[in-house]
Amino acid sequence: MEILWVLMALVMLGFVLLPVLRRRRGGIEQVPPGHPDAADPANYGFVRQEELDVRMPGPDQDLLDVLELVQRTQDYRAAAQLLAGTEAEGELRWQRVQAFAGAAALELRQRPGGVSETPGGQWLRVWRAEAPKDPGGAAVHAEFLVQQAWRTSTPGTEEFRIIMEEAGQACAQAALLAPGDPVPHIVELSVARGLAYSRPEFEKLWLRILDTAPNHMGAHLAALHHWCEKWHGSRVTAMAFAEAAAARAPRGSLLAAMPLFAVFEHLPEVNLVSSFYQSEVVTKAIHGALFAVHAARSDDPMAAHVRHLLVFFLVRSERWAEAMNELIHVDGHVGALPWTLSADPAAEFAVYRALAVAGYEANGGSPATLAG
């Protein structure tokens, strides 16, 4: 009985200390700006917290320009043109479909509409009405419905099921309009997770994706969520899926980083063991991700996703110099895991960035040595 009380006390202590532990790594504490001991990220040319872009993981100026135009004019045609000119099998099309759908969903949340007000995201409705056979608009609409289901309703409820079933129908329509485009099937992976597809149903969907885009990183990440312990798989199943993807990844593919995402998906809620992030499993996953980003094309749109997660793990592992090397590639954009899980992604990213700078300087680093 005494052992039970001790264990309960440790768990409660973990909940009390967790907010502190999240900002303390290896004895380095986040201190207020202006404090004599504060390391200043601005010295490294990093973007101010309030200027961090939470919409995307990395730069895509063409997308930003079109989004600004569409939202300012409420005319969808620039979005349709951009997607029409974006390679179907590539990662960039998937990211742009997500961005357009997310922008429409955010507009609708900010302006739900009323008697005298046009609801936000009206440009997407007009797009579907005026160009019903446009595969880009169909894919954006399907993703919009998926995001609406996750954002506005609770999994398991009737409302959630109805929206997800509508999203599934939209995915089927989008797939018919673009037979060689994997994006509608990738969107359906979220539907499969939400509606708990049976294993044969899910594997049939997954084979359709592999037929068109076998090395699609975004598709693998979406499938990984399905096989995680918190959804329809387990820690073992998810890790096996990730390791199999990494093992068959061609050189230059970011699929070698999949095990790091599997580790992240199964992090303990409360971790009181400081050596966890130096463990063999975590270290091996970090090395795989580092290999992947260094071997990948410099313009691979999924590289930013991997680098953001590396920043998280490298800071937790107190590998300050390596964390700084990843930060210089992704700073300015924070629309990626793990930051997007926070209510304030920019603030969460800024904490880890400050810890990386402080740890780097505590070990003799400086802007001059990083530049060199």
Side-chain angles (χ1 to χ4, degrees), residues 99-161:
F100 286 128
L106 181 59
E107 280 186 37
L108 182 60
R109 185 172 64 184
Q110 293 172 339
R111 299 195 314 277
V115 176
S116 59
E117 181 185 40
T118 301
Q122 182 67 17
W123 53 269
L124 178 54
R125 296 180 184 84
V126 175
W127 189 354
R128 294 297 294 129
E130 293 187 353
K133 294 186 178 181
D134 180 8
V140 172
H141 179 239
E143 174 65 15
F144 168 81
L145 290 171
V146 166
Q147 293 193 26
Q148 282 295 95
W150 290 111
R151 292 180 181 188
T152 64
S153 55
T154 303
T157 64
E158 183 69 6
E159 179 186 11
F160 181 84
R161 182 189 64 78

Short mmCIF file of all heavy atoms in Angstrom, two decimals, residues 99-161:
data_model
loop_
_atom_site.label_atom_id
_atom_site.label_comp_id
_atom_site.label_asym_id
_atom_site.label_seq_id
_atom_site.Cartn_x
_atom_site.Cartn_y
_atom_site.Cartn_z
N ALA A 99 -3.60 24.11 -47.39
CA ALA A 99 -3.56 25.54 -47.07
C ALA A 99 -4.83 26.26 -47.52
O ALA A 99 -5.40 27.07 -46.78
CB ALA A 99 -2.33 26.19 -47.70
N PHE A 100 -5.30 25.97 -48.73
CA PHE A 100 -6.52 26.61 -49.22
C PHE A 100 -7.72 26.19 -48.38
O PHE A 100 -8.58 27.02 -48.02
CB PHE A 100 -6.76 26.28 -50.70
CG PHE A 100 -5.84 27.01 -51.64
CD1 PHE A 100 -5.12 26.32 -52.61
CD2 PHE A 100 -5.72 28.39 -51.58
CE1 PHE A 100 -4.27 26.99 -53.49
CE2 PHE A 100 -4.88 29.08 -52.46
CZ PHE A 100 -4.15 28.37 -53.41
N ALA A 101 -7.80 24.91 -48.06
CA ALA A 101 -8.92 24.42 -47.24
C ALA A 101 -8.87 25.03 -45.85
O ALA A 101 -9.90 25.44 -45.30
CB ALA A 101 -8.86 22.90 -47.15
N GLY A 102 -7.67 25.12 -45.29
CA GLY A 102 -7.53 25.71 -43.96
C GLY A 102 -7.89 27.18 -43.94
O GLY A 102 -8.52 27.66 -43.00
N ALA A 103 -7.54 27.90 -45.02
CA ALA A 103 -7.88 29.32 -45.10
C ALA A 103 -9.39 29.51 -45.16
O ALA A 103 -9.95 30.38 -44.49
CB ALA A 103 -7.21 29.94 -46.32
N ALA A 104 -10.07 28.66 -45.95
CA ALA A 104 -11.53 28.76 -46.04
C ALA A 104 -12.19 28.42 -44.71
O ALA A 104 -13.16 29.07 -44.29
CB ALA A 104 -12.04 27.83 -47.14
N ALA A 105 -11.67 27.39 -44.03
CA ALA A 105 -12.22 26.99 -42.74
C ALA A 105 -12.04 28.09 -41.70
O ALA A 105 -12.94 28.37 -40.90
CB ALA A 105 -11.57 25.70 -42.26
N LEU A 106 -10.87 28.73 -41.71
CA LEU A 106 -10.61 29.81 -40.76
C LEU A 106 -11.51 31.01 -41.04
O LEU A 106 -12.05 31.62 -40.11
CB LEU A 106 -9.13 30.22 -40.84
CG LEU A 106 -8.70 31.34 -39.88
CD1 LEU A 106 -8.95 30.94 -38.43
CD2 LEU A 106 -7.23 31.68 -40.10
N GLU A 107 -11.68 31.34 -42.31
CA GLU A 107 -12.59 32.44 -42.67
C GLU A 107 -14.00 32.17 -42.17
O GLU A 107 -14.67 33.06 -41.62
CB GLU A 107 -12.63 32.61 -44.19
CG GLU A 107 -11.45 33.37 -44.77
CD GLU A 107 -11.66 33.62 -46.26
OE1 GLU A 107 -12.81 33.89 -46.66
OE2 GLU A 107 -10.68 33.53 -47.02
N LEU A 108 -14.46 30.94 -42.34
CA LEU A 108 -15.82 30.59 -41.92
C LEU A 108 -15.96 30.68 -40.41
O LEU A 108 -17.00 31.12 -39.90
CB LEU A 108 -16.17 29.19 -42.41
CG LEU A 108 -17.58 28.69 -42.08
CD1 LEU A 108 -18.63 29.61 -42.70
CD2 LEU A 108 -17.77 27.26 -42.56
N ARG A 109 -14.93 30.28 -39.70
CA ARG A 109 -14.98 30.36 -38.24
C ARG A 109 -15.01 31.81 -37.78
O ARG A 109 -15.71 32.16 -36.83
CB ARG A 109 -13.77 29.64 -37.63
CG ARG A 109 -13.82 29.57 -36.09
CD ARG A 109 -12.72 28.71 -35.56
NE ARG A 109 -11.39 29.24 -35.85
CZ ARG A 109 -10.25 28.63 -35.56
NH1 ARG A 109 -10.26 27.45 -34.98
NH2 ARG A 109 -9.09 29.19 -35.87
N GLN A 110 -14.26 32.66 -38.47
CA GLN A 110 -14.22 34.07 -38.10
C GLN A 110 -15.48 34.82 -38.52
O GLN A 110 -15.91 35.75 -37.84
CB GLN A 110 -12.97 34.73 -38.72
CG GLN A 110 -11.66 34.21 -38.16
CD GLN A 110 -10.45 34.75 -38.92
OE1 GLN A 110 -10.56 35.18 -40.07
NE2 GLN A 110 -9.29 34.72 -38.28
N ARG A 111 -16.07 34.39 -39.65
CA ARG A 111 -17.29 35.03 -40.15
C ARG A 111 -18.30 33.96 -40.51
O ARG A 111 -18.43 33.56 -41.67
CB ARG A 111 -16.99 35.90 -41.38
CG ARG A 111 -16.02 37.03 -41.16
CD ARG A 111 -16.08 38.04 -42.32
NE ARG A 111 -16.09 37.41 -43.63
CZ ARG A 111 -15.01 37.00 -44.28
NH1 ARG A 111 -13.82 37.13 -43.73
NH2 ARG A 111 -15.10 36.46 -45.48
N PRO A 112 -19.01 33.43 -39.53
CA PRO A 112 -19.98 32.36 -39.81
C PRO A 112 -21.15 32.81 -40.67
O PRO A 112 -21.90 31.98 -41.21
CB PRO A 112 -20.45 31.93 -38.41
CG PRO A 112 -20.14 33.09 -37.52
CD PRO A 112 -18.92 33.74 -38.09
N GLY A 113 -21.33 34.11 -40.82
CA GLY A 113 -22.40 34.63 -41.66
C GLY A 113 -23.69 34.83 -40.88
O GLY A 113 -23.85 34.37 -39.76
N GLY A 114 -24.59 35.51 -41.49
CA GLY A 114 -25.86 35.79 -40.84
C GLY A 114 -26.83 36.41 -41.83
O GLY A 114 -26.67 36.27 -43.06
N VAL A 115 -27.78 37.11 -41.31
CA VAL A 115 -28.81 37.71 -42.17
C VAL A 115 -28.21 38.70 -43.15
O VAL A 115 -28.56 38.73 -44.33
CB VAL A 115 -29.89 38.39 -41.30
CG1 VAL A 115 -30.91 39.09 -42.19
CG2 VAL A 115 -30.57 37.39 -40.38
N SER A 116 -27.28 39.50 -42.67
CA SER A 116 -26.74 40.56 -43.53
C SER A 116 -25.24 40.40 -43.80
O SER A 116 -24.61 41.32 -44.30
CB SER A 116 -26.98 41.93 -42.86
OG SER A 116 -26.36 41.98 -41.58
N GLU A 117 -24.70 39.23 -43.48
CA GLU A 117 -23.25 39.04 -43.66
C GLU A 117 -22.99 37.79 -44.47
O GLU A 117 -23.56 36.72 -44.21
CB GLU A 117 -22.55 38.94 -42.30
CG GLU A 117 -21.05 38.77 -42.41
CD GLU A 117 -20.39 38.53 -41.05
OE1 GLU A 117 -20.97 37.80 -40.23
OE2 GLU A 117 -19.29 39.07 -40.83
N THR A 118 -22.11 37.92 -45.47
CA THR A 118 -21.70 36.76 -46.25
C THR A 118 -20.74 35.91 -45.43
O THR A 118 -19.79 36.44 -44.86
CB THR A 118 -21.00 37.20 -47.55
OG1 THR A 118 -21.89 38.02 -48.29
CG2 THR A 118 -20.59 36.00 -48.38
N PRO A 119 -20.95 34.60 -45.35
CA PRO A 119 -20.05 33.77 -44.55
C PRO A 119 -18.65 33.71 -45.14
O PRO A 119 -18.47 33.85 -46.36
CB PRO A 119 -20.73 32.39 -44.58
CG PRO A 119 -21.57 32.41 -45.80
CD PRO A 119 -22.04 33.82 -45.96
N GLY A 120 -17.67 33.54 -44.28
CA GLY A 120 -16.29 33.42 -44.75
C GLY A 120 -16.11 32.18 -45.60
O GLY A 120 -16.85 31.20 -45.46
N GLY A 121 -15.12 32.20 -46.47
CA GLY A 121 -14.86 31.06 -47.34
C GLY A 121 -15.84 30.94 -48.49
O GLY A 121 -15.92 29.89 -49.14
N GLN A 122 -16.57 32.01 -48.78
CA GLN A 122 -17.55 31.98 -49.86
C GLN A 122 -16.91 31.68 -51.20
O GLN A 122 -17.52 31.05 -52.07
CB GLN A 122 -18.29 33.33 -49.92
CG GLN A 122 -19.38 33.41 -50.96
CD GLN A 122 -20.57 32.49 -50.68
OE1 GLN A 122 -20.73 32.03 -49.55
NE2 GLN A 122 -21.37 32.22 -51.69
N TRP A 123 -15.64 32.08 -51.37
CA TRP A 123 -14.95 31.83 -52.62
C TRP A 123 -14.84 30.34 -52.93
O TRP A 123 -14.85 29.93 -54.10
CB TRP A 123 -13.56 32.47 -52.61
CG TRP A 123 -12.69 32.10 -51.43
CD1 TRP A 123 -12.61 32.78 -50.24
CD2 TRP A 123 -11.81 30.98 -51.33
NE1 TRP A 123 -11.72 32.13 -49.40
CE2 TRP A 123 -11.22 31.03 -50.05
CE3 TRP A 123 -11.46 29.94 -52.18
CZ2 TRP A 123 -10.28 30.07 -49.61
CZ3 TRP A 123 -10.54 28.99 -51.75
CH2 TRP A 123 -9.97 29.06 -50.48
N LEU A 124 -14.74 29.50 -51.89
CA LEU A 124 -14.67 28.05 -52.13
C LEU A 124 -16.03 27.52 -52.61
O LEU A 124 -16.09 26.67 -53.51
CB LEU A 124 -14.24 27.33 -50.85
CG LEU A 124 -14.17 25.80 -50.95
CD1 LEU A 124 -13.29 25.35 -52.10
CD2 LEU A 124 -13.67 25.21 -49.63
N ARG A 125 -17.11 28.04 -52.05
CA ARG A 125 -18.45 27.62 -52.51
C ARG A 125 -18.68 28.03 -53.96
O ARG A 125 -19.21 27.26 -54.76
CB ARG A 125 -19.53 28.26 -51.62
CG ARG A 125 -19.48 27.80 -50.17
CD ARG A 125 -20.59 28.49 -49.37
NE ARG A 125 -20.52 28.16 -47.96
CZ ARG A 125 -19.76 28.77 -47.08
NH1 ARG A 125 -18.98 29.77 -47.48
NH2 ARG A 125 -19.74 28.40 -45.82
N VAL A 126 -18.25 29.24 -54.30
CA VAL A 126 -18.39 29.71 -55.68
C VAL A 126 -17.53 28.86 -56.61
O VAL A 126 -17.95 28.51 -57.73
CB VAL A 126 -18.00 31.20 -55.77
CG1 VAL A 126 -18.03 31.66 -57.23
CG2 VAL A 126 -18.94 32.06 -54.93
N TRP A 127 -16.33 28.51 -56.17
CA TRP A 127 -15.42 27.67 -56.95
C TRP A 127 -16.11 26.35 -57.32
O TRP A 127 -16.12 25.93 -58.46
CB TRP A 127 -14.17 27.42 -56.13
CG TRP A 127 -13.03 26.74 -56.82
CD1 TRP A 127 -13.02 26.21 -58.08
CD2 TRP A 127 -11.72 26.53 -56.28
NE1 TRP A 127 -11.78 25.67 -58.36
CE2 TRP A 127 -10.97 25.86 -57.28
CE3 TRP A 127 -11.12 26.83 -55.07
CZ2 TRP A 127 -9.65 25.47 -57.07
CZ3 TRP A 127 -9.80 26.46 -54.86
CH2 TRP A 127 -9.07 25.79 -55.84
N ARG A 128 -16.72 25.70 -56.32
CA ARG A 128 -17.37 24.42 -56.57
C ARG A 128 -18.60 24.58 -57.46
O ARG A 128 -18.92 23.72 -58.27
CB ARG A 128 -17.76 23.77 -55.24
CG ARG A 128 -16.59 23.37 -54.37
CD ARG A 128 -15.71 22.30 -55.05
NE ARG A 128 -16.44 21.05 -55.21
CZ ARG A 128 -16.54 20.38 -56.35
NH1 ARG A 128 -15.96 20.84 -57.45
NH2 ARG A 128 -17.21 19.25 -56.42
N ALA A 129 -19.29 25.71 -57.31
CA ALA A 129 -20.52 25.92 -58.09
C ALA A 129 -20.21 26.25 -59.55
O ALA A 129 -20.87 25.75 -60.47
CB ALA A 129 -21.34 27.04 -57.46
N GLU A 130 -19.20 27.08 -59.76
CA GLU A 130 -18.88 27.53 -61.12
C GLU A 130 -17.97 26.57 -61.87
O GLU A 130 -17.96 26.56 -63.11
CB GLU A 130 -18.22 28.91 -61.07
CG GLU A 130 -19.16 30.02 -60.60
CD GLU A 130 -18.52 31.39 -60.71
OE1 GLU A 130 -17.32 31.46 -61.04
OE2 GLU A 130 -19.23 32.40 -60.49
N ALA A 131 -17.18 25.77 -61.14
CA ALA A 131 -16.25 24.85 -61.80
C ALA A 131 -16.36 23.47 -61.14
O ALA A 131 -15.40 22.99 -60.52
CB ALA A 131 -14.82 25.39 -61.72
N PRO A 132 -17.51 22.82 -61.24
CA PRO A 132 -17.72 21.55 -60.54
C PRO A 132 -16.80 20.42 -61.00
O PRO A 132 -16.62 19.44 -60.27
CB PRO A 132 -19.19 21.22 -60.83
CG PRO A 132 -19.50 21.97 -62.09
CD PRO A 132 -18.69 23.22 -62.02
N LYS A 133 -16.22 20.54 -62.19
CA LYS A 133 -15.34 19.49 -62.70
C LYS A 133 -13.85 19.83 -62.52
O LYS A 133 -13.00 19.11 -63.05
CB LYS A 133 -15.65 19.21 -64.16
CG LYS A 133 -17.04 18.62 -64.37
CD LYS A 133 -17.26 18.22 -65.81
CE LYS A 133 -18.64 17.57 -65.99
NZ LYS A 133 -18.89 17.15 -67.39
N ASP A 134 -13.57 20.90 -61.81
CA ASP A 134 -12.17 21.27 -61.54
C ASP A 134 -11.64 20.37 -60.43
O ASP A 134 -12.13 20.43 -59.29
CB ASP A 134 -12.09 22.74 -61.11
CG ASP A 134 -10.66 23.18 -60.81
OD1 ASP A 134 -9.73 22.39 -61.07
OD2 ASP A 134 -10.48 24.29 -60.29
N PRO A 135 -10.64 19.53 -60.71
CA PRO A 135 -10.13 18.61 -59.69
C PRO A 135 -9.51 19.32 -58.50
O PRO A 135 -9.57 18.82 -57.37
CB PRO A 135 -9.10 17.76 -60.44
CG PRO A 135 -8.73 18.56 -61.64
CD PRO A 135 -9.96 19.34 -62.00
N GLY A 136 -8.92 20.49 -58.74
CA GLY A 136 -8.32 21.24 -57.63
C GLY A 136 -9.38 21.70 -56.65
O GLY A 136 -9.24 21.52 -55.43
N GLY A 137 -10.45 22.29 -57.14
CA GLY A 137 -11.53 22.74 -56.27
C GLY A 137 -12.18 21.58 -55.54
O GLY A 137 -12.55 21.71 -54.36
N ALA A 138 -12.32 20.44 -56.21
CA ALA A 138 -12.93 19.26 -55.58
C ALA A 138 -12.06 18.76 -54.42
O ALA A 138 -12.57 18.38 -53.36
CB ALA A 138 -13.12 18.16 -56.61
N ALA A 139 -10.74 18.75 -54.63
CA ALA A 139 -9.84 18.29 -53.57
C ALA A 139 -9.85 19.25 -52.39
O ALA A 139 -9.85 18.81 -51.22
CB ALA A 139 -8.42 18.15 -54.12
N VAL A 140 -9.85 20.55 -52.67
CA VAL A 140 -9.88 21.54 -51.59
C VAL A 140 -11.18 21.41 -50.79
O VAL A 140 -11.18 21.47 -49.56
CB VAL A 140 -9.72 22.97 -52.15
CG1 VAL A 140 -9.94 24.00 -51.05
CG2 VAL A 140 -8.33 23.15 -52.76
N HIS A 141 -12.28 21.20 -51.49
CA HIS A 141 -13.58 21.06 -50.82
C HIS A 141 -13.58 19.83 -49.91
O HIS A 141 -14.08 19.88 -48.78
CB HIS A 141 -14.70 20.96 -51.86
CG HIS A 141 -16.05 20.78 -51.26
ND1 HIS A 141 -16.85 19.69 -51.53
CD2 HIS A 141 -16.75 21.53 -50.37
CE1 HIS A 141 -17.98 19.79 -50.85
NE2 HIS A 141 -17.94 20.89 -50.14
N ALA A 142 -13.02 18.72 -50.38
CA ALA A 142 -12.96 17.50 -49.56
C ALA A 142 -12.13 17.74 -48.30
O ALA A 142 -12.53 17.36 -47.19
CB ALA A 142 -12.38 16.35 -50.38
N GLU A 143 -10.98 18.37 -48.47
CA GLU A 143 -10.13 18.66 -47.31
C GLU A 143 -10.79 19.65 -46.38
O GLU A 143 -10.66 19.56 -45.15
CB GLU A 143 -8.77 19.19 -47.79
CG GLU A 143 -7.84 19.68 -46.69
CD GLU A 143 -7.38 18.59 -45.74
OE1 GLU A 143 -7.53 17.39 -46.05
OE2 GLU A 143 -6.85 18.96 -44.66
N PHE A 144 -11.53 20.61 -46.93
CA PHE A 144 -12.27 21.58 -46.11
C PHE A 144 -13.27 20.85 -45.21
O PHE A 144 -13.38 21.15 -44.01
CB PHE A 144 -12.98 22.57 -47.04
CG PHE A 144 -14.00 23.44 -46.34
CD1 PHE A 144 -13.60 24.56 -45.64
CD2 PHE A 144 -15.35 23.13 -46.38
CE1 PHE A 144 -14.55 25.37 -44.99
CE2 PHE A 144 -16.29 23.92 -45.74
CZ PHE A 144 -15.88 25.05 -45.04
N LEU A 145 -13.99 19.90 -45.75
CA LEU A 145 -14.96 19.15 -44.96
C LEU A 145 -14.28 18.35 -43.85
O LEU A 145 -14.78 18.27 -42.72
CB LEU A 145 -15.77 18.22 -45.86
CG LEU A 145 -16.75 18.90 -46.82
CD1 LEU A 145 -17.32 17.89 -47.81
CD2 LEU A 145 -17.87 19.59 -46.04
N VAL A 146 -13.14 17.75 -44.17
CA VAL A 146 -12.39 17.01 -43.16
C VAL A 146 -11.97 17.92 -42.02
O VAL A 146 -12.14 17.60 -40.83
CB VAL A 146 -11.15 16.32 -43.80
CG1 VAL A 146 -10.18 15.85 -42.73
CG2 VAL A 146 -11.58 15.16 -44.67
N GLN A 147 -11.42 19.09 -42.37
CA GLN A 147 -10.99 20.02 -41.33
C GLN A 147 -12.17 20.53 -40.52
O GLN A 147 -12.07 20.70 -39.30
CB GLN A 147 -10.23 21.18 -41.96
CG GLN A 147 -8.89 20.77 -42.57
CD GLN A 147 -8.00 21.97 -42.90
OE1 GLN A 147 -8.12 23.03 -42.29
NE2 GLN A 147 -7.10 21.80 -43.85
N GLN A 148 -13.29 20.74 -41.16
CA GLN A 148 -14.49 21.17 -40.44
C GLN A 148 -14.93 20.11 -39.44
O GLN A 148 -15.34 20.42 -38.31
CB GLN A 148 -15.63 21.46 -41.42
CG GLN A 148 -15.52 22.78 -42.13
CD GLN A 148 -15.64 23.96 -41.17
OE1 GLN A 148 -14.65 24.51 -40.69
NE2 GLN A 148 -16.86 24.34 -40.86
N ALA A 149 -14.87 18.86 -39.83
CA ALA A 149 -15.27 17.78 -38.92
C ALA A 149 -14.40 17.76 -37.68
O ALA A 149 -14.91 17.68 -36.55
CB ALA A 149 -15.19 16.43 -39.65
N TRP A 150 -13.10 17.83 -37.86
CA TRP A 150 -12.19 17.76 -36.72
C TRP A 150 -12.26 19.02 -35.86
O TRP A 150 -12.08 18.95 -34.64
CB TRP A 150 -10.74 17.57 -37.20
CG TRP A 150 -10.49 16.21 -37.79
CD1 TRP A 150 -10.24 15.91 -39.10
CD2 TRP A 150 -10.46 14.95 -37.10
NE1 TRP A 150 -10.06 14.56 -39.26
CE2 TRP A 150 -10.18 13.95 -38.06
CE3 TRP A 150 -10.64 14.58 -35.77
CZ2 TRP A 150 -10.09 12.59 -37.72
CZ3 TRP A 150 -10.54 13.22 -35.44
CH2 TRP A 150 -10.27 12.25 -36.39
N ARG A 151 -12.51 20.17 -36.47
CA ARG A 151 -12.48 21.44 -35.73
C ARG A 151 -13.79 21.77 -35.03
O ARG A 151 -13.79 22.43 -33.99
CB ARG A 151 -12.13 22.59 -36.68
CG ARG A 151 -10.71 22.55 -37.22
CD ARG A 151 -10.46 23.73 -38.14
NE ARG A 151 -9.11 23.71 -38.70
CZ ARG A 151 -8.60 24.70 -39.42
NH1 ARG A 151 -9.31 25.79 -39.64
NH2 ARG A 151 -7.37 24.61 -39.90
N THR A 152 -14.91 21.34 -35.61
CA THR A 152 -16.20 21.82 -35.10
C THR A 152 -17.04 20.76 -34.42
O THR A 152 -18.09 21.07 -33.87
CB THR A 152 -17.03 22.43 -36.25
OG1 THR A 152 -17.35 21.40 -37.20
CG2 THR A 152 -16.26 23.54 -36.94
N SER A 153 -16.62 19.51 -34.46
CA SER A 153 -17.40 18.45 -33.83
C SER A 153 -16.48 17.46 -33.12
O SER A 153 -15.26 17.51 -33.28
CB SER A 153 -18.28 17.74 -34.86
OG SER A 153 -17.50 17.24 -35.93
N THR A 154 -17.08 16.56 -32.38
CA THR A 154 -16.31 15.61 -31.57
C THR A 154 -16.38 14.22 -32.20
O THR A 154 -17.47 13.74 -32.52
CB THR A 154 -16.88 15.54 -30.14
OG1 THR A 154 -16.87 16.85 -29.58
CG2 THR A 154 -16.07 14.60 -29.27
N PRO A 155 -15.22 13.56 -32.39
CA PRO A 155 -15.24 12.20 -32.94
C PRO A 155 -16.17 11.29 -32.13
O PRO A 155 -16.19 11.33 -30.91
CB PRO A 155 -13.78 11.76 -32.81
CG PRO A 155 -13.00 13.03 -32.90
CD PRO A 155 -13.85 14.05 -32.17
N GLY A 156 -16.94 10.49 -32.86
CA GLY A 156 -17.88 9.59 -32.21
C GLY A 156 -19.29 10.12 -32.15
O GLY A 156 -20.23 9.35 -31.92
N THR A 157 -19.47 11.43 -32.38
CA THR A 157 -20.80 12.01 -32.35
C THR A 157 -21.46 11.88 -33.72
O THR A 157 -20.80 11.66 -34.74
CB THR A 157 -20.76 13.49 -31.96
OG1 THR A 157 -20.03 14.23 -32.97
CG2 THR A 157 -20.08 13.67 -30.60
N GLU A 158 -22.77 12.04 -33.74
CA GLU A 158 -23.52 11.95 -34.98
C GLU A 158 -23.12 13.07 -35.94
O GLU A 158 -23.00 12.86 -37.16
CB GLU A 158 -25.02 12.01 -34.68
CG GLU A 158 -25.91 11.84 -35.90
CD GLU A 158 -25.87 10.44 -36.50
OE1 GLU A 158 -25.22 9.55 -35.90
OE2 GLU A 158 -26.45 10.24 -37.57
N GLU A 159 -22.92 14.27 -35.40
CA GLU A 159 -22.52 15.41 -36.24
C GLU A 159 -21.19 15.12 -36.93
O GLU A 159 -21.03 15.37 -38.13
CB GLU A 159 -22.41 16.67 -35.38
CG GLU A 159 -21.98 17.89 -36.18
CD GLU A 159 -21.72 19.11 -35.30
OE1 GLU A 159 -21.67 18.96 -34.06
OE2 GLU A 159 -21.55 20.21 -35.85
N PHE A 160 -20.24 14.59 -36.18
CA PHE A 160 -18.93 14.26 -36.73
C PHE A 160 -19.08 13.23 -37.85
O PHE A 160 -18.48 13.36 -38.93
CB PHE A 160 -18.02 13.73 -35.63
CG PHE A 160 -16.63 13.38 -36.07
CD1 PHE A 160 -15.65 14.35 -36.15
CD2 PHE A 160 -16.30 12.07 -36.40
CE1 PHE A 160 -14.36 14.03 -36.56
CE2 PHE A 160 -15.01 11.74 -36.82
CZ PHE A 160 -14.05 12.72 -36.89
N ARG A 161 -19.87 12.19 -37.60
CA ARG A 161 -20.05 11.13 -38.59
C ARG A 161 -20.66 11.68 -39.88
O ARG A 161 -20.22 11.33 -40.99
CB ARG A 161 -20.94 10.03 -38.03
CG ARG A 161 -21.15 8.84 -38.97
CD ARG A 161 -22.20 7.90 -38.45
NE ARG A 161 -23.52 8.52 -38.39
CZ ARG A 161 -24.31 8.72 -39.46
NH1 ARG A 161 -23.91 8.33 -40.67
NH2 ARG A 161 -25.48 9.29 -39.33
#
